[in-house]
Amino acid sequence: QVQLVESGGGSVQAGGSLRLSCSASGFTFTDYYMYWVRQAPGKGVECISAISPGGGSTYAADSVKGRFTISRDNVKNTLYLQMNSLKSEDTAMYYCAADRLLLPLRLVVDRNRLAAWGQGTQVTVSS
């Protein structure tokens, strides 16, 4: 059974940091591109980062570039998102997702288009 489980969310003040984790099971982790996606209250889904199966290539949306870092541990089958210099506009539910293909970040908005999608972890940033 394919499963993605996010953790590490919480409440933090603006300027602070959090590290999200996504534990993967039920599929060959090293065959898949991994994505971090978020949805703020009352807003659409935004894919903010992606990483190649081997971890050698990463991609970031302009909204998080220079502040958020995606990484993965292929021994632990775990995806990470290090979030620094958090802003109130980063408040959202954060999801990890997986697919065999590298998709343009703007297309990673429909969970039905990807092989797997987690249940999410809430991040709240107070100003």
Side-chain angles (χ1 to χ4, degrees):
Q1 179 182 358
V2 174
Q3 193 170 19
L4 296 173
V5 179
E6 301 92 338
S7 61
S11 296
V12 63
Q13 289 192 328
S17 299
L18 280 175
R19 188 174 84 152
L20 305 184
S21 299
C22 170
S23 178
S25 61
F27 63 101
T28 304
F29 188 64
T30 51
D31 285 348
Y32 284 74
Y33 288 87
M34 297 297 297
Y35 302 85
W36 282 105
V37 183
R38 68 184 182 184
Q39 186 167 22
K43 296 189 176 181
V45 176
E46 178 190 20
C47 182
I48 56 174
S49 196
I51 188 167
S52 60
S57 296
T58 61
Y59 312 85
D62 288 344
S63 58
V64 304
K65 201 168 290 183
R67 299 187 300 122
F68 292 9
T69 302
I70 190 172
S71 62
R72 64 193 294 164
D73 185 329
N74 285 346
V75 174
K76 296 181 177 180
N77 285 359
T78 302
L79 174 73
Y80 302 101
L81 184 69
Q82 178 66 44
M83 305 187 295
N84 298 328
S85 302
L86 283 160
K87 306 175 182 179
S88 57
E89 51 262 45
D90 295 317
T91 293
M93 184 70 80
Y94 284 72
Y95 304 89
C96 61
D99 201 86
R100 288 182 179 272
L101 301 178
L102 175 61
L103 301 170
L105 297 189
R106 61 182 171 80
L107 295 184
V108 185
V109 294
D110 180 356
R111 63 175 64 209
N112 293 320
R113 294 191 61 171
L114 275 80
W117 194 288
Q119 293 303 305
T121 186
Q122 177 68 38
V123 172
T124 302
V125 184
S126 57
S127 57

